[in-house]
Amino acid sequence: MQGSDTIRTLKGVGDAVATLYKRLGIETIADLVCYFPRSYDDYSIITQVAKLRPGPVTIQATISRAAGRYVRRGMHITEAIASDATGSMRLVWFNQPYRASAIKAGKQYFVSGNFELSHQRFAIMSPSLELVSDLPLNTARIVPVYRETKGLTSRQVRSAMAQVLPFISTLSETLPDWVVQEQKLLSYSDALRKLHFPETIHDLKRARERLGFDEVFELVLASLLNKYEIMAEHAPAVPFIESVAKGFVGHLPFTLTDAQRRAIWQIYLDMQREHPMNRLVEGDVGSGKTVVAAMAAVMVLQQGHQVAFMAPTEILARQHAETLTTLLEPLGLASQVGLLVGGMKKVQKDRAREAIKDGRIRFIVGTQALIQEAVDIHELELIIIDEQHRFGVEQRKLLMAKAGHMPHVLNLTATPIPRSLALTLYGELDVSILDSKPVGRQPVITEICAPTSRQTVYKKIKQELEAGRQMFVVTPLIADSDSLEIVSAEAMYKQMKDRDFKGYAVGLLHGKMKPAEKNQVMEQFLAHSLDILVSTTVIEVGVDVPNASVMLVEGADRFGLAQIHQLRGRIGRGSYPGYCYLMMNDARAPSARLRALERTNDGFKLAELDLELRGPGAIYGLQQHGQLDLRIATLADVPLITRARKTAQEFIDKHENIARYPELSKRVKRLRAVTNLN
Ligand code: ADP
Ligand code: MG
């Protein structure tokens, strides 16, 4: 048997079943071996019938009196009696008419299933049965449960897995020996065997540790290799001109924070090298990333080259274009800023494209339109990507291809990813963290509200509105359903406009509106011709309306901490303190998780908490790392991540040749394609 053999060579896998396997991504023996269990049922302990307690149980018993009958139309029931030396027990199956005739009366079976009350009598419901043997598959062990597809059950997968068990034991080690020894890991083949056929819970832990280590190690190694590859590329150096930096800072209406200074200095150092910068500036909402980006851009513009600034939404791109124009005005560079977004009229776009091509526009601010539409940015030397997790890797590659060489890349993100995680996921990036906020920031006071307190809250809100402030209302997040989100936003909008906030100007914003409509609403809100803006989460990133001091988040219990934190970053931006009301869906006591939002305004702390409590998926923006396909390693397992990261760096420092490890090399290559930024 070989890894490349088709699974059709296995008993019980014909063409039809092979098609089902294919649906799960399994075509070869090697694929099958790497199909990891989703969970396990612990049926390893055999209990005497007389000692059964409700719950999952296994007995070893002789079966007798198996018989099936229809109790009514469409409802078939099979019953049998299982007996050991201590007593007898009823077994029950529904709608499995083949059961009775398949049972060999008088034989010894392992029986595993749930022991529970059914029609006032205890029985083992829908149990798995196997004749007693040394290698039970579906009973009498820690039974793996695989992700199934219609027509293909875990039972079938287990039987296939048993057939490849001898093959698993022939698999050679994928990691260098020194790694396995230093890290005290199971061998690759041992780990796989124990994952599919664990004898004890300890086995399982060790197997998961080894395979989880592999995943993080491969991921980190891939990004480190990318990093060194990028470092070896040539990029035009951007010399640092002190007078340019001083001139810019001199015209700012505020002084830079130390964190901003540090980040800008790191960027200037990066760009002075003849190798591409690949830096991430990570800073909480309101930490002042735009100014940092503008300072990076100014240095490039002064040398007569081009800069592209990409924002995730059109609204943001427009805001950025305005902000940047203002920032560049005193330097006489304002006319070089140009907007390019999908919502522009064709003539405007054509004109912008022409100006970009002949170099009158040197600072291009836009959305994906930059990529999708043919734009000639041949002097591009710096790409700034705001909220980079919103852009796919492919899109980035496209944009970079336009320069004809590798430009410097500056990523900005407000997603406060804990450092441990950032280093793993973004190992190829150098990271600058803006960990202090500009002084004089207004506090945001956050309050969790029970549904019964709604009228009291509305009273408080009205006081703010009367004082001339504005409010954002964010309607509940509904998993996987844009349309339901819009329905709830529309309902909220009506209710506020016609009832609760009658007399105030209320606007509505959601993701399905046309870009032009969205802009119009946003501009109305910005101009204060709207007092209240009801929206889905589309307002989440970046928008700056200094006069908005109140936010009401509906169904707050549905949001992740990091997400609410990003939302509330919209308020408290002007000279007024912010009030964020988190309206609960039901009257239950709010979770400790939500309470944390009342206590702290520190995005990094909240992200760590979210990571601990809900896992990495909760951190906004990490969803796209589904591509990375981490099946075992939880990215919250900091000690494991640390071990794997150290080992990957050691691998590089030792000048190990990855080609010596073909399996590792293959996987790392695939990951490099996913994580690569060029
Ligand atoms: P974000 O990091 O969320 O992108 P912005 O760059 O939009 O933050 O900055 C938020 C606000 O803070 C802007 O109005 C900006 O002008 C202001 N700002 C930036 N840096 C400072 C600073 N050092 N001192 C005072 N205000 C600042
Ligand atoms: Mg921003």
Side-chain angles (χ1 to χ4, degrees):
M1 192 181 285
Q2 279 191 328
S4 57
D5 288 352
T6 155
I7 49 166
R8 282 200 202 80
T9 54
L10 300 176
K11 209 165 71 136
V13 185
D15 284 350
V17 175
T19 315
L20 298 176
Y21 270 109
K22 199 170 170 188
R23 217 176 277 163
L24 297 172
I26 302 166
E27 295 184 61
T28 64
I29 302 291
D31 296 338
L32 179 68
V33 165
C34 291
Y35 195 61
F36 294 173
R38 180 167 59 80
S39 62
Y40 296 84
D41 288 328
D42 189 353
Y43 285 127
S44 61
I45 295 168
I46 293 169
T47 309
Q48 294 179 331
V49 168
K51 291 187 177 157
L52 288 177
R53 292 277 168 278
V57 298
T58 301
I59 57 174
Q60 180 174 344
T62 313
I63 301 193
S64 59
R65 302 213 323 251
R69 66 194 144 88
Y70 279 93
V71 283
R72 61 184 136 81
R73 222 156 64 126
M75 174 61 119
H76 184 276
I77 185 168
T78 306
E79 290 181 297
I81 301 297
S83 318
D84 68 7
T86 68
S88 294
M89 178 48 48
R90 202 162 59 103
L91 313 179
V92 178
W93 295 267
F94 293 110
N95 292 330
Q96 299 186 9
Y98 56 87
R99 273 285 173 193
S101 58
I103 289 171
K104 297 190 174 89
K107 291 269 186 195
Q108 285 270 309
Y109 280 92
F110 287 127
V111 181
S112 291
N114 217 37
F115 181 55
E116 60 187 84
L117 210 48
S118 155
H119 295 103
Q120 278 90 52
R121 285 158 67 203
F122 272 102
I124 303 181
M125 305 303 290
S126 306
S128 298
L129 289 187
E130 271 174 316
L131 284 170
V132 167
S133 74
D134 292 340
L135 187 66
L137 284 181
N138 307 297
T139 60
R141 65 168 182 134
I142 300 173
V143 179
V145 179
Y146 296 90
R147 192 162 60 81
E148 303 182 344
T149 185
K150 199 168 171 4
L152 184 64
T153 62
S154 268
R155 220 185 153 82
Q156 286 165 283
V157 178
R158 282 175 218 135
S159 142
M161 216 56 94
Q163 296 175 58
V164 300
L165 197 50
F167 167 73
I168 290 179
S169 66
T170 67
L171 286 173
S172 45
E173 182 49 57
T174 54
L175 290 174
D177 288 337
W178 62 265
V179 174
V180 178
Q181 273 155 26
E182 243 177 56
Q183 293 298 322
K184 302 191 171 57
L185 297 169
L186 289 183
S187 75
Y188 183 60
S189 93
D190 249 11
L192 277 178
R193 185 169 52 81
K194 290 188 162 143
L195 192 78
H196 295 296
F197 296 90
E199 277 165 27
T200 60
I201 296 291
H202 179 71
D203 273 1
L204 199 55
K205 258 202 201 129
R206 295 277 289 148
R208 294 175 64 88
E209 178 201 17
R210 157 69 207 243
L211 297 165
F213 180 93
D214 282 7
E215 288 181 344
V216 182
F217 177 74
E218 287 158 12
L219 185 59
V220 178
L221 195 56
S223 48
L224 284 178
L225 289 169
N226 281 346
K227 176 176 179 159
Y228 290 111
E229 187 184 287
I230 292 172
M231 275 166 55
E233 288 276 337
H234 179 85
V238 179
F240 170 69
I241 303 169
E242 198 180 346
S243 59
V244 172
K246 283 220 164 114
F248 182 91
V249 174
H251 286 108
L252 286 176
F254 44 74
T255 46
L256 295 173
T257 64
D258 287 343
Q260 282 172 319
R261 255 180 247 280
R262 220 179 304 124
I264 290 163
W265 184 239
Q266 286 166 334
I267 292 167
Y268 284 159
L269 284 180
D270 286 354
M271 293 197 305
Q272 279 178 73
R273 301 202 189 97
E274 299 208 321
H275 304 288
M277 167 171 74
N278 205 19
R279 183 168 290 277
L280 173 72
V281 173
E282 194 186 342
D284 212 342
V285 277
S287 57
K289 294 183 291 290
T290 318
V291 175
V292 172
M295 277 193 82
V298 161
M299 204 53 79
V300 176
L301 294 174
Q302 286 286 4
Q303 333 270 340
H305 300 292
Q306 286 176 309
V307 181
F309 191 124
M310 302 183 68
T313 67
E314 197 163 326
I315 292 177
L316 270 176
R318 284 176 192 272
Q319 276 213 348
H320 278 313
E322 258 170 52
T323 310
L324 294 166
T325 308
T326 313
L327 283 169
L328 266 55
E329 188 87 67
L331 304 175
L333 296 171
S335 66
Q336 298 193 4
V337 182
L339 184 71
L340 190 61
V341 291
M344 279 160 55
K345 293 213 176 65
K346 184 167 180 310
V347 277
Q348 289 176 307
K349 269 190 252 176
D350 286 345
R351 210 176 297 145
R353 253 184 243 126
E354 204 48 43
I356 292 166
K357 190 174 171 187
D358 65 27
R360 274 172 295 144
I361 292 182
R362 297 188 172 276
F363 197 168
I364 304 115
V365 184
T367 55
Q368 277 99 323
L370 275 181
I371 305 166
Q372 281 142 13
E373 304 180 17
V375 186
D376 186 354
I377 322 179
H378 54 275
E379 301 243 34
L380 186 61
E381 278 205 15
L382 171 63
I383 297 174
I384 301 166
I385 302 173
D386 195 18
E387 294 305 331
Q388 53 92 39
H389 59 267
R390 296 287 173 100
F391 287 101
V393 173
E394 289 308 311
Q395 291 166 310
R396 276 183 269 185
K397 280 188 191 166
L398 273 174
L399 190 66
M400 292 180 198
K402 284 186 188 300
H405 60 81
M406 192 158 321
H408 298 290
V409 173
L410 181 62
N411 300 279
L412 310 177
T413 183
T415 305
I417 298 170
R419 207 182 174 94
S420 62
L421 205 52
L423 287 170
T424 305
L425 291 175
Y426 303 130
E428 77 273 37
L429 298 174
D430 296 306
V431 181
S432 302
I433 294 186
L434 299 184
D435 51 7
S436 59
K437 286 203 183 167
V439 288
R441 260 303 135 71
Q442 292 298 326
V444 173
I445 297 145
T446 300
E447 197 184 304
I448 298 173
C449 315
T452 47
S453 66
R454 186 175 288 275
Q455 292 313 320
T456 323
V457 172
Y458 281 1
K459 233 182 241 157
K460 286 195 255 181
I461 292 173
K462 279 178 187 163
Q463 283 172 5
E464 281 291 299
L465 298 178
E466 287 309 317
R469 304 288 82 74
Q470 289 162 276
M471 163 165 78
F472 286 110
V473 179
V474 184
T475 54
L477 185 73
I478 295 167
D480 299 327
S481 175
D482 279 352
S483 50
L484 282 182
E485 259 171 56
I486 291 167
V487 168
S488 85
E490 279 168 346
M492 191 71 195
Y493 165 71
K494 285 215 180 73
Q495 218 175 80
M496 296 211 134
K497 185 166 70 91
D498 300 337
R499 205 183 69 197
D500 298 324
F501 288 85
K502 212 171 167 166
Y504 292 95
V506 187
L508 174 67
L509 190 71
H510 60 68
K512 284 278 153 64
M513 283 161 63
K514 294 209 177 71
E517 292 173 325
K518 278 196 235 169
N519 286 329
Q520 202 188 350
V521 174
M522 223 34 236
E523 261 154 36
Q524 284 171 346
F525 192 59
L526 197 57
H528 201 169
S529 34
L530 292 175
D531 300 304
I532 298 172
L533 183 64
V534 179
S535 83
T536 56
T537 55
V538 291
I539 53 142
E540 188 174 346
V541 264
V543 292
D544 205 10
V545 184
N547 191 51
S549 69
V550 186
M551 174 168 286
L552 175 65
V553 180
E554 286 289 329
D557 16 10
R558 291 172 185 252
F559 292 85
L561 294 187
Q563 210 177 4
I564 292 183
H565 181 66
Q566 292 235 351
L567 285 166
R568 71 179 172 181
R570 303 299 113 234
I571 55 171
R573 298 199 137 208
S575 39
Y576 316 101
Y579 297 95
C580 177
Y581 298 105
L582 304 179
M583 192 54 80
M584 302 280 294
N585 250 348
D586 59 39
R588 267 180 313 181
S591 60
R593 189 173 69 80
L594 222 47
R595 286 269 175 229
L597 284 160
E598 289 181 322
R599 283 201 313 272
T600 179
N601 258 314
D602 182 332
F604 283 95
K605 267 203 198 120
L606 290 171
E608 303 242 352
L609 206 69
D610 243 359
L611 182 64
E612 243 170 63
L613 296 175
R614 306 209 311 167
I619 296 181
Y620 202 68
L622 288 190
Q623 287 90 335
Q624 82 161 34
H625 290 283
Q627 293 182 69
L628 298 178
D629 197 21
L630 295 178
R631 294 173 299 174
I632 294 209
T634 93
L635 288 174
D637 190 345
V638 176
L640 183 75
I641 289 175
T642 310
R643 281 165 66 191
R645 214 173 55 223
K646 277 201 184 121
T647 312
Q649 187 64 53
E650 218 179 311
F651 185 93
I652 302 245
D653 294 344
K654 280 184 188 228
H655 300 289
E656 276 273 19
N657 178 4
I658 193 164
R660 283 181 53 207
Y661 311 97
E663 185 59 32
L664 180 66
S665 172
K666 200 172 80 195
R667 295 194 214 167
V668 167
K669 196 166 165 194
R670 191 184 65 79
L671 286 169
R672 287 187 69 177
V674 179
T675 56
N676 206 345
L677 293 180
N678 55 69

